[in-house]
Each structure stands twice: as structure tokens, then as C-alpha cells.
Amino acid sequence: MKSFNLCRTDKQTVGESKQPSDMQTEREDEDDASVEEYVALSSFTGSGSDQLSFSRGDRLRVHAKPSSEWWWAELRGVIGYVPASYLRQEEEEEEDTSLEDPWQDEEYFGSYGTLRLHLEMLSDKSRTEAYRHVILSNSASLRNKVVIDLGCGTGIISLFCAQLAQPSEVYAVEASSMAEYTRQLVKQNGCEEVVTVLQGRAEEIELPEQVDVLVSEWMGNCLLFEFMVESVLLARDRWLKEGGVMWPSSAALTLVPCQANSYYAEKMAFWEQPYGLDFTPLQPLAQQEFFTKPKFSHLVEPDDCLATPCDVLCLDMYTLQVKDLEEIKGQFHYCVEKSGVFHGFTAWFTVHFESLETGGATVELNTGPFSEPTHWKQTLFMLDRPLSVYTGDSISGSILLCRNPVWRRHMTVTLHWSINSSTGETDKCQVGTKSFPMWR
Ligand code: SAH
């Protein structure tokens, strides 16, 4: 799956945010009546000096709303920026979520109704060939099986099933208007006897029978973004036969501490001396604008990985529950293998497809820097300040993926790390924490 642009407007509003100093002036002018009280729906760890940390249930006083995304608020006498989507006015609870669809389905399925994303996904050979390979290498076992292709898009996986194996039936389910074309493609390729295209949300469709295999390409940036996986889990519980097969069967998220010299130079060091002038007062703004959110579509060079990557989460697609998605935690421990500048962490995912054939090999789709690049590329999480690390130092910590309580396709990734110097100098131990909204 390709990330559609849930984030477009948000990207702009961060840049448009007023600086804290402007806000201060406005705050002094305002009377208390304009201050509104909000309740925190979920905990948030602020990064940098101008973001406020708070816990679920805290009551914050919102002084100004300089952008739709970041508000200026006060908690126990401390003031700072807070992410608006974490807050709710108590009395509005009922009405608020109905104002806008927390799943943003119109925008989401709207973008899959056009060719742009499908072209990008189908042009991604590693991705598409991985699915083709799974079907081809399991063709004998797929004979006479019933398959659901959840979120079939143009129907590519269903067509592979029909052409490379002999399933008795493939239900190709697609909620976007692409489904109308998918029907034509199925016919055009002579597969209408086997493939039935059903237009609708997987959660709402009815099938005449249970299925033996549930195949889906649901993965988003940083594996979970967009949370299409929820639809897959619900369909599994409803339609998969006892003992049926999930493709992918498991998924892992991998993280590595890395250098990002050119990105840092382009977005931050740039302000040091443009045209011989000192523009460093813009650096806090640059940090807010470019490093608050993760950078999608990053390609980390293997040489920029400071340690051996480590799997921080592993999801079993048979046992994973929808409620588990609310908060997922992982740990990491790295030994720095070469001295360098620690700019941030890069994340990517790998999925595995178990074999149905006795003794058959598992198929893997790996979106990391040591495999062919895919359209997902990788996700870069920049620290606020680069840190020098040396061979033998250790970097350990945790990652927390917290699903947005309101905007169900979004999540916040919080990284905690501590660096221990190999020489044991205690003054070189550094700890840090940073939360990255993705996208709200
Ligand atoms: N299987 C295709 C498309 C993958 S992209 C391929 O591999 O090329 C994911 C697709 O799933 C999109 O077309 C999207 O519209 C669809 N989708 C996402 N959630 C869905 C749901 N709940 N019900 C039906 N379709 C869904």
C-alpha cells in the first residue's frame, strides 16, 4: 500500500505556526475569557523547549490556536506548544468526532480511486514480485482454495492467483471506485470465472463462504501508518476458516541509529551562513518545521547505519488483536560499530509469507537499506541535536507506537534512548526522548 496524503495540510500548518515569542505578546493582551479548557485524550511527550508534555486526563488551558495542529497551552504554570488532536473539550465529546470522519475515508479511498498510487505500487517491482512469488511458489497448495484479496486495488494479486494457481474462487474486495475498473481488468484478462470483484469496505461486505487464504498488501509507512491492518484483522476474525492462512503471516519493524548528513545540512546547517549571513535565529523554527515529524521517503545508505539494525516489533498476523494496535512498545540495544554523528533513527519493515507447501521456503519482502529500494523507502526520525558517538558506545532504549485516539489512521512514535560511552566516562552518558506525530 502506498501512503496517500493524509498529511498534506498538516505539513503546511507547522511552517505557518507563529513563534512562541509572538504568541507571548498575544497572550499578554488577551483577557481570561478567551482561554479555553481542554482535556488530554492521551499522553504526549514534548520535544525541544517549546513543546509541553502532559498526561492523559490533564486539563490544559489553551491560550491560542496558531495553526490547526499546534496550539499554545498552559499546564500547571508551564506554557508551550501542544498537538491539538490530543485535546478535547469535555462537553463537546459527543459531537466532535462526528464533525469529521476520524478515518478520513473520503480522502483515503478517494486517493485510491485514481491511478497515481496504483501506478506507484505496481511500478514497485520488489513489492509486486514478492506477492507474485508467494503465489507461484505455493501454486500447488492453492488449488481449489478460496482466497480473499483484501484491498485488491487494480486486482493484481487476485489476477496472479487466477493465472498462476487454480483457486476455486478469489474474492477481490476494494472500497475505492477503482473496483469498477478492476472488474474490467479481470474480464479483459479472462479471469472472471475465478475472480469476483466486490466493491465495498471489507468490514461491510458479505461473502457466501469462509476463506482458506487471506492475502492483502496493507503495509504503510513505518509499517502501521494508515492502520489498514485493522481492516485485515477484522476480516480475518470474520472470514478466515479455522487453520486458514494469512499472507503476510508476520511483520517486523526494524530500527537503526544513523547519520543523515545531507538532510541535516540541507535543513539545519544551511542557516549557519547563507550568502555569508548568520541566519541561525531561524534554526529553532527549522527544527520545528523539518524535524518534528518523521521524514518519509528517506533512503538510508548502509554506510550511514551506525550499528547493526535491530527488530523492535514483531507482529504475528494470526494472533494480533485490534486492541493491541493502540500502544505497541519495543526495545533496542545497539553497539556502535563506527564513530560518526548520530542524527537520528531510520525505520523500515519486513513481512514474511509462510509457505503452504511442505518444506517450502518463506518469502520475505524487506524494505530496508540492504534490499532493493521499494516505494515505501524508509522513515527517518531526526533528533533535535546531532550527537557524536564512537565505536564501542552503546545506544539503548525503547520505541512506543501510540495510535491517535481520534484520528484512527495516525499515530505518534516516541523514542527514548540513552548513550553509554565505551570509555565509561559518566559525563558522556546522554539520555533523550522525542515524540514524532505521524501525522497527527
Ligand atoms: N492490492 C493492491 C492494492 C494495495 S493498496 C496492490 O497490491 O496493488 C491498498 C488497497 O486497499 C487500496 O486500493 C485501498 O483502497 C484498499 N482498502 C484499504 N482499506 C480497505 C477496506 N477496509 N476495505 C476495502 N478496501 C480497502
Side-chain angles (χ1 to χ4, degrees):
M1 179 175 57
K2 177 60 199 169
S3 175
F4 72 105
N5 240 339
L6 281 170
C7 11
R8 225 169 8 221
T9 49
D10 299 344
K11 268 186 185 160
Q12 289 155 2
T13 51
V14 169
E16 288 159 9
S17 298
K18 292 177 188 175
Q19 289 187 68
S21 52
D22 300 339
M23 302 307 313
Q24 194 75 31
T25 327
E26 278 175 30
R27 202 163 50 85
E28 281 157 8
D29 296 342
E30 78 202 349
D31 58 22
D32 213 48
S34 67
V35 177
E36 295 172 282
E37 192 174 271
Y38 280 78
V39 179
L41 289 163
S42 180
S43 302
F44 175 76
T45 310
S47 69
S49 55
D50 59 355
Q51 287 181 11
L52 203 59
S53 299
F54 51 82
S55 307
R56 189 192 165 122
D58 276 347
R59 287 166 186 279
L60 290 97
R61 287 159 54 79
V62 174
H63 289 262
K65 299 175 179 174
S67 76
S68 57
E69 192 185 337
W70 291 98
W71 292 350
W72 186 242
E74 179 194 330
L75 175 67
R76 293 185 277 274
V78 186
I79 193 140
Y81 279 111
V82 293
S85 61
Y86 280 59
L87 307 180
R88 151 120 355 115
Q89 273 184 319
E90 255 175 338
E91 61 273 25
E92 278 183 6
E93 197 157 350
E94 293 303 309
E95 299 148 4
D96 212 13
T97 26
S98 63
L99 286 177
E100 250 187 282
D101 171 15
W103 284 87
Q104 297 170 279
D105 274 354
E106 206 177 304
E107 193 180 350
Y108 179 77
F109 291 121
S111 65
Y112 284 112
T114 66
L115 277 187
R116 189 178 60 86
L117 297 178
H118 295 289
L119 178 61
E120 191 172 4
M121 292 186 290
L122 296 174
S123 307
D124 177 347
K125 284 232 170 70
S126 317
R127 179 203 82 109
T128 312
E129 291 287 355
Y131 279 83
R132 187 172 187 277
H133 183 51
V134 172
I135 288 149
L136 194 56
S137 59
N138 286 283
S139 60
S141 305
L142 282 171
R143 198 184 160 87
N144 293 327
K145 293 287 194 304
V146 181
V147 178
I148 181 172
D149 172 6
L150 197 158
C152 69
T154 54
I156 185 80
I157 301 173
S158 298
L159 293 169
F160 286 157
C161 286
Q163 293 205 328
L164 306 172
Q166 292 173 297
S168 61
E169 181 72 53
V170 179
Y171 296 107
V173 180
E174 173 58 45
S176 79
S177 58
M178 188 52 59
E180 294 152 33
Y181 292 92
T182 310
R183 257 186 217 114
Q184 290 180 35
L185 299 177
V186 166
K187 203 154 178 227
Q188 191 79 11
N189 289 280
C191 297
E192 71 270 34
E193 298 287 297
V194 178
V195 180
T196 306
V197 178
L198 301 166
Q199 182 170 4
R201 282 185 56 119
E203 290 82 342
E204 285 149 23
I205 49 120
E206 292 294 332
L207 301 182
E209 59 189 324
Q210 299 279 105
V211 304
D212 300 289
V213 178
L214 190 167
V215 61
S216 181
E217 199 280 79
W218 52 264
M219 298 79 73
N221 282 301
C222 218
L223 185 62
L224 291 177
F225 184 60
E226 298 178 31
F227 285 89
M228 180 178 163
V229 66
E230 174 165 326
S231 309
V232 172
L233 300 180
L234 294 171
R236 174 198 68 190
D237 295 346
R238 190 148 175 237
W239 298 111
L240 191 67
K241 281 182 192 167
E242 185 82 36
V245 170
M246 294 290 287
W247 277 339
S249 320
S250 65
L253 185 72
T254 307
L255 197 70
V256 73
C258 64
Q259 305 196 124
N261 279 313
S262 48
Y263 187 61
Y264 186 82
E266 184 190 320
K267 303 292 187 204
M268 187 59 74
F270 175 85
W271 306 105
E272 284 164 15
Q273 253 195 346
Y275 305 95
L277 299 167
D278 183 351
F279 272 29
T280 52
L282 295 181
Q283 283 186 326
L285 201 57
Q287 183 184 305
Q288 180 80 12
E289 200 167 328
F290 304 120
F291 298 167
T292 296
K293 302 220 160 150
K295 176 183 182 260
F296 288 167
S297 295
H298 180 66
L299 280 173
V300 64
E301 293 289 334
D303 255 5
D304 282 332
C305 296
L306 296 166
T308 302
C310 153
D311 285 354
V312 287
L313 327 167
C314 293
L315 306 180
D316 177 335
M317 292 303 291
Y318 292 93
T319 55
L320 183 67
Q321 299 295 315
V322 172
K323 65 173 171 19
D324 301 336
L325 301 172
E326 295 302 322
E327 222 176 79
I328 308 182
K329 194 166 184 176
Q331 310 278 340
F332 51 79
H333 182 84
Y334 303 99
C335 182
V336 174
E337 283 158 21
K338 61 175 165 200
S339 302
V341 184
F342 175 28
H343 282 113
F345 292 92
T346 297
W348 63 87
F349 67 82
T350 302
V351 290
H352 290 101
F353 303 82
E354 67 175 315
S355 175
L356 309 181
E357 320 263 317
T358 26
T362 308
V363 176
E364 178 183 285
L365 167 58
N366 185 323
T367 65
F370 305 97
S371 302
E372 273 296 296
T374 66
H375 75 289
W376 288 283
K377 300 189 182 151
Q378 290 114 32
T379 307
L380 172 65
F381 298 90
M382 289 293 278
L383 309 185
D384 287 337
R385 269 169 306 283
L387 300 164
S388 293
V389 289
Y390 302 93
T391 309
D393 288 357
S394 73
I395 303 176
S396 32
S398 63
I399 180 171
L400 180 68
L401 274 58
C402 227
R403 194 170 179 188
N404 189 302
V406 177
W407 303 101
R408 303 304 280 155
R409 295 195 187 275
H410 299 242
M411 64 182 172
T412 294
V413 175
T414 302
L415 291 159
H416 292 278
W417 64 90
S418 82
I419 306 171
N420 279 295
S421 154
S422 52
T423 55
E425 297 164 52
T426 45
D427 60 326
K428 283 178 69 187
C429 294
Q430 304 190 53
V431 294
T433 195
K434 184 165 176 179
S435 288
F436 298 83
M438 263 174 87
W439 212 252
R440 297 200 234 200

